[in-house]
Amino acid sequence: MNDMRVVERDVDINELKMKARDVDVFYGDIHAIKNVDVDIEDKTVTAFIGPSGCGKSTFLRCLNRMNDTIDICRVTGTITLDNEDIYDPKVDPVQLRAKVGMVFQKPNPFPKSIYDNVAYGPRIHGLSSNKADLDQIVERSLRRAALWNEAKDRLNEPGTGLSGGQQQRLCIARAVATNPEVLLMDEPCSALDPIATAQVEELIDELRSQYSVVIVTHSMQQAARVSQKTAFFHLGELVEFGETGHIFTNPDDPRTESYITGRIG
Amino acid sequence: MTDAAANAPILPRTTSLYELDARTVRRNRSEKRFRLYGLAAVMLGILALILLLVSILSNGASSFRQTYLTIPVTLSAERLDPSGNRDPAEMARVTTFGYLPVIAQSLIDFVAAEGIETDLNPQQFAGMISGEAPAQVRQRVLNNPDLVGQTVQLQVLVGGRIDGFFKGRVSMSSAARDSNVSPEQLLLAQALADNGAMVTRFNWRFVTAPDASDNRPEAAGLGVAIIGSVYMMLVVLFLALPIGVAASIYLEEFAPKNRLTDVIEVNISNLAAVPSIVFGILGLAIFINFAGLPQSAPIVGGLVLTLMTLPTIIIATRASLRAVPPSIRAAALGLGASKMQSVFHHVLPLAAPGILTGTIIGLAQALGETAPLLLIGMVAFVREYPAAPLEGFFDPASALPVQVYNWTQRSDPAFVERASGAIIVLLVFLIFMNAMAVMLRRRFERRW
Ligand SMILES: Nc1ncnc2c1ncn2[C@@H]1O[C@H](COP(=O)(O)OP(=O)(O)OP(=O)(O)O)[C@@H](O)[C@H]1O
Ligand SMILES: [Mg+2]
């Protein structure tokens, strides 16, 4: 199984996890996403890059229907998860979000204890049958988010009492704890120091063995390091989407090249 | 920006930091002035508060003290039980008026036995005793017919004027002008006080006893009014809090933002500004005339006050719901929590301190409200305690603020003391509720 995966990755025949076609997003009259097609493969890290305000977060939020919570936001086009249309009227977004987890751009821990923060998802989804089980999930999640060593002695202290970077890792642990199939991460490392960043990148790489991960980042190096696929957004359009190696070494579009080399942004 | 301004050369600083320039001096002066204004405003407020408290306390504190006469009373059998068979049903035929001479005679005998000199006639002796005393003695005798024929040490209320004499409200000179009391009676009262038979002491009766008629201020108490107010607060709490919170949660978290909800929102704010007497008229029309609920019952008062309190609670609740950062909701939803889970697990607990504070402020407002209660008949003179909940909610009762209003309308100056005392009780309740609001707030407050 393990070596299979390596082979799969190398020849790039991973299954399609999510598929977006002709997606447009409007905030009232603002056309924030213009006719975007993206394929998100299983067991793959997909990076979204692009200048600030180009719609990366907006598109990310379409993938777990968090845009539904914004009144003025309107999404058209089709997005599928395992070939099921997630915008189908039959779909309950709550059920979708349990499968497509999210880490937000700004750390937003609940004002509860660190333990309760991580345990919340497993609790509401009934992922654990007893306390010992839950303890184990919490520990594993915190370990994966590289927070265990700092948090293990203060599990009952409020999550809001952590530093910004620790809070962000707590949010990652919280998202991982629910066992999502797809994990959306909006600039998860923007508040982290290089060591924690490396740990989170390691986590992302590890998560790739089971899930597909979509990460928004402003760091070209990070995108190059962790992702297999990269999508470059510019002014709401998807300019280029393809193999990370290809995008970073030999982009097809001149706009991609100027962004990567730091000329627009 | 014009090109000229953009291109203007940046000149090096020429002034010293040690010298204040004119603008700084002016700015500092105006700041100082503003601080003085603020301080003056605060002082004025504190002064008004102190004056209010001093006047109420100096007027009302004495209502918690009451003058009693303790003498041996001979409950003569031929007067109180003419048939002689100790049957309470037959003894009940002797009315309160039959008891007054018995007590008065005992007082005369006591004064004579103690060797106190006085030339009062029996009627004047009787006039020193409260009109309430015979009724109390009668009640006691009817409860325990064996007392008849015995001489028992009894403690009886003295009249309002005599009580006022010991509290400094009535003086010899005012008694000379007063048809209800004579200086000789006061002299005797003083002698009895020196003797130890007449004492003025702290007594809970003011808080527990029911109201009394116009000419017995010494017996008037707040018992029925307090029970009525507490019942009404219970009705308000159990109706306004759930309804208000449910309405706010729906409006704030679930309702689509459209014209209709805008209209509702504006109307709720308007409702908060409606004069309270209008709610009284509404209550009279709907709850009493249409629904047929009894007049002057706490349930009706509670319903009217609920209508009045709802907007306050809704506004406070919505404000505290809105103060919960949207990122908390997003975090919960992002984890696959339903809207309801996100509200009840995360938003509501964070909003709870604000909601509780709003509720208690609303309750405190309702507790002090008088006008609407006047319209639904809560001014009635009620001497019977209402029963225990729930049927007690339908019994006639009074309410604290209405009792204050009621007493200030009465002619006997002793009721001024009673009204101020009632205000003190009302204030104690309000302070207690506010303290509770602060405490709950501290307890539940969480930072994020
Ligand atoms: N809630 C909203 N209401 C209205 N407009 C919005 C909203 N959220 C985003 N937008 C607009 O949509 C566009 C894309 O925003 P988005 O947040 O997706 O950018 P981004 O690529 O994530 O930027 P950044 O890198 O700074 O996070 C912007 O022009 C923004 O103003
Ligand atoms: Mg963003």
Side-chain angles (χ1 to χ4, degrees):
Chain A
M1 186 70 198
N2 231 5
D3 45 348
M4 274 282 285
R5 195 192 71 218
V6 176
V7 173
E8 267 174 12
R9 178 149 47 105
D10 284 347
V11 297
D12 194 29
I13 48 158
N14 284 340
E15 275 172 46
L16 218 54
K17 188 70 185 171
M18 296 191 82
K19 192 167 73 177
R21 288 291 175 270
D22 304 326
V23 174
D24 285 87
V25 181
F26 302 86
Y27 291 111
D29 293 334
I30 303 172
H31 198 169
I33 291 287
K34 296 165 191 157
N35 203 13
V36 167
D37 294 356
V38 168
D39 289 336
I40 290 162
E41 289 166 14
D42 202 8
K43 304 185 190 338
T44 304
V45 178
T46 309
F48 290 175
I49 59 171
S52 188
C54 66
K56 306 179 295 292
S57 302
T58 301
F59 186 72
L60 200 68
R61 281 200 302 267
C62 293
L63 300 179
N64 67 345
R65 292 185 59 174
M66 277 304 280
N67 278 335
D68 291 16
T69 61
I70 301 172
D71 277 327
I72 55 167
C73 185
R74 199 158 51 79
V75 180
T76 63
T78 49
I79 300 176
T80 60
L81 173 69
D82 295 329
N83 290 321
E84 292 172 335
D85 184 359
I86 64 170
Y87 281 91
D88 191 284
K90 287 199 290 283
V91 172
D92 185 349
V94 170
Q95 210 171 329
L96 169 72
R97 290 183 202 130
K99 291 180 181 229
V100 184
M102 181 154 197
V103 176
F104 293 83
Q105 190 163 354
K106 274 183 251 154
N108 54 355
F110 300 127
K112 303 189 171 197
S113 71
I114 293 174
Y115 184 95
D116 286 338
N117 260 284
V118 183
Y120 183 68
R123 274 192 186 130
I124 59 172
H125 296 304
L127 297 185
S128 66
S129 45
N130 54 37
K131 177 89 172 73
D133 230 14
L134 193 59
D135 287 349
Q136 211 177 352
I137 293 178
V138 170
E139 177 175 344
R140 196 178 58 226
S141 308
L142 284 170
R143 275 190 196 285
R144 297 178 101 179
L147 191 60
W148 177 249
N149 286 335
E150 286 144 272
K152 63 170 180 271
D153 298 323
R154 44 194 293 201
L155 288 177
N156 292 318
E157 285 172 38
T160 40
L162 296 170
S163 79
Q166 289 171 328
Q167 287 186 14
Q168 187 62 297
R169 278 178 281 155
L170 179 61
C171 294
I172 294 173
R174 186 175 67 184
V176 171
T178 50
N179 251 333
E181 295 169 21
V182 180
L183 187 61
L184 311 176
M185 300 173 118
D186 199 347
E187 296 181 38
C189 301
S190 58
L192 301 190
D193 64 52
I195 298 169
T197 301
Q199 285 168 326
V200 170
E201 286 178 6
E202 215 170 281
L203 162 72
I204 293 171
D205 205 50
E206 186 212 313
L207 290 176
R208 184 162 63 89
S209 60
Q210 296 165 33
Y211 315 122
S212 75
V213 179
V214 183
I215 175 172
V216 173
T217 176
H218 278 293
S219 153
M220 299 305 115
Q221 292 87 339
Q222 183 170 54
R225 276 195 304 267
V226 298
S227 71
Q228 288 76 51
K229 287 289 178 77
T230 298
F232 171 61
F233 287 82
H234 186 58
L235 300 176
E237 284 173 56
L238 179 65
V239 175
E240 198 165 347
F241 176 55
E243 295 285 332
T244 299
H246 183 72
I247 296 253
F248 277 91
T249 52
N250 189 15
D252 296 333
D253 196 290
R255 286 172 293 177
T256 316
E257 191 180 356
S258 20
Y259 180 70
I260 290 168
T261 53
R263 263 174 285 147
I264 54 172
Chain B
M1 213 191 270
T2 61
D3 279 351
N7 297 333
I10 298 166
L11 297 171
R13 193 161 58 91
T14 52
T15 55
S16 159
L17 271 181
Y18 294 129
E19 273 166 50
L20 296 181
D21 61 20
R23 282 180 68 88
T24 314
V25 170
R26 228 178 313 130
R27 204 159 46 201
N28 289 354
R29 217 183 287 136
S30 85
E31 186 172 322
K32 206 176 208 167
R33 229 175 10 242
F34 178 77
R35 279 210 229 168
L36 280 177
Y37 294 152
L39 202 65
V42 171
M43 290 308 225
L44 208 66
I46 291 179
L47 191 74
L49 190 68
I50 289 177
L51 280 179
L52 181 87
L53 281 181
V54 164
S55 103
I56 287 173
L57 283 178
S58 61
N59 276 325
S62 56
S63 55
F64 292 90
R65 296 164 59 74
Q66 204 58 56
T67 310
Y68 286 92
L69 176 67
T70 311
I71 49 166
V73 175
T74 309
L75 299 164
S76 97
E78 76 241 41
R79 272 174 186 273
L80 303 183
D81 188 15
S83 55
N85 52 14
R86 302 288 188 269
D87 175 7
E90 284 197 35
M91 283 162 60
R93 269 196 232 130
V94 179
T95 61
T96 313
F97 294 110
Y99 281 79
L100 184 56
V102 173
I103 302 171
Q105 189 54 50
S106 300
L107 178 58
I108 293 170
D109 295 346
F110 178 75
V111 168
E114 294 289 315
I116 301 171
E117 295 272 327
T118 180
D119 50 3
L120 294 181
N121 59 34
Q123 212 178 340
Q124 284 175 309
F125 271 108
M128 292 178 66
I129 292 157
S130 164
E132 196 70 12
Q136 283 167 2
V137 174
R138 175 169 181 267
Q139 197 56 48
R140 222 172 129 175
V141 169
L142 290 185
N143 286 343
N144 185 4
D146 294 337
L147 289 176
V148 172
Q150 297 181 24
T151 298
V152 284
Q153 195 78 2
L154 283 185
Q155 191 180 58
V156 294
L157 269 175
V158 305
R161 297 293 148 91
I162 309 286
D163 181 48
F165 172 61
F166 290 108
K167 292 172 179 172
R169 195 172 58 235
V170 175
S171 65
M172 289 296 172
S173 54
S174 77
R177 279 179 270 114
D178 192 338
S179 61
N180 291 315
V181 68
S182 67
E184 292 76 34
Q185 284 176 315
L186 296 185
L187 283 175
L188 175 60
Q190 187 58 57
L192 284 167
D194 294 342
N195 174 279
M198 203 177 267
V199 284
T200 308
R201 58 178 173 73
F202 180 82
N203 192 276
W204 282 112
R205 259 192 63 92
F206 175 61
V207 181
T208 57
D211 193 10
S213 64
D214 277 9
N215 43 19
R216 295 176 192 172
E218 68 278 2
L222 287 170
V224 175
I226 289 177
I227 295 179
S229 276
V230 169
Y231 281 8
M232 286 196 297
M233 290 306 106
L234 287 178
V235 173
V236 174
L237 185 66
F238 282 103
L239 288 178
L241 182 62
I243 296 177
V245 171
S248 322
I249 291 179
Y250 176 75
L251 284 175
E252 203 53 47
E253 305 283 337
F254 292 94
K257 303 271 175 284
N258 57 25
R259 265 286 167 67
L260 187 66
T261 43
D262 281 352
V263 170
I264 292 177
E265 165 139 30
V266 168
N267 277 304
I268 288 175
S269 311
N270 284 341
L271 220 52
V274 169
S276 56
I277 196 145
V278 175
F279 288 103
I281 295 172
L282 187 81
L284 181 66
I286 294 181
F287 300 128
I288 295 182
N289 291 344
F290 178 70
L293 289 169
Q295 283 212 357
S296 67
I299 182 77
V300 180
L303 286 170
V304 169
L305 294 178
T306 299
L307 291 181
M308 230 194 70
T309 317
L310 262 178
T312 312
I313 294 186
I314 292 180
I315 290 171
T317 305
R318 294 190 64 181
S320 32
L321 287 176
R322 230 171 291 154
V324 175
S327 66
I328 297 291
R329 297 178 180 86
L333 294 179
L335 284 175
S338 69
K339 190 116 191 176
M340 186 142 150
Q341 284 173 324
S342 103
V343 170
F344 281 90
H345 295 169
H346 302 288
V347 179
L348 206 53
L350 289 174
I355 296 175
L356 285 174
T357 315
T359 304
I360 291 177
I361 288 174
L363 278 182
Q365 236 175 35
L367 181 66
E369 197 53 66
T370 327
L373 302 183
L374 298 180
L375 285 178
I376 56 158
M378 302 245 355
V379 260
F381 176 73
V382 183
R383 275 199 52 90
E384 295 289 315
Y385 292 104
L390 293 159
E391 58 283 22
F393 287 155
F394 295 87
D395 291 346
S398 182
L400 275 172
V402 177
Q403 194 70 69
V404 172
Y405 167 79
N406 202 337
W407 282 346
T408 53
Q409 301 296 301
R410 298 196 185 171
S411 53
D412 194 317
F415 276 110
V416 174
E417 169 204 281
R418 299 271 141 177
S420 298
I423 293 174
I424 294 175
V425 172
L426 191 57
L427 284 180
V428 167
F429 271 90
L430 292 177
I431 290 171
F432 173 74
M433 285 165 79
N434 280 314
M436 210 156 73
V438 172
M439 213 187 64
L440 287 172
R441 193 178 198 121
R442 288 257 170 82
R443 177 113 201 261
F444 289 110
E445 197 146 66
R446 269 185 279 186
R447 282 167 293 113
W448 52 79

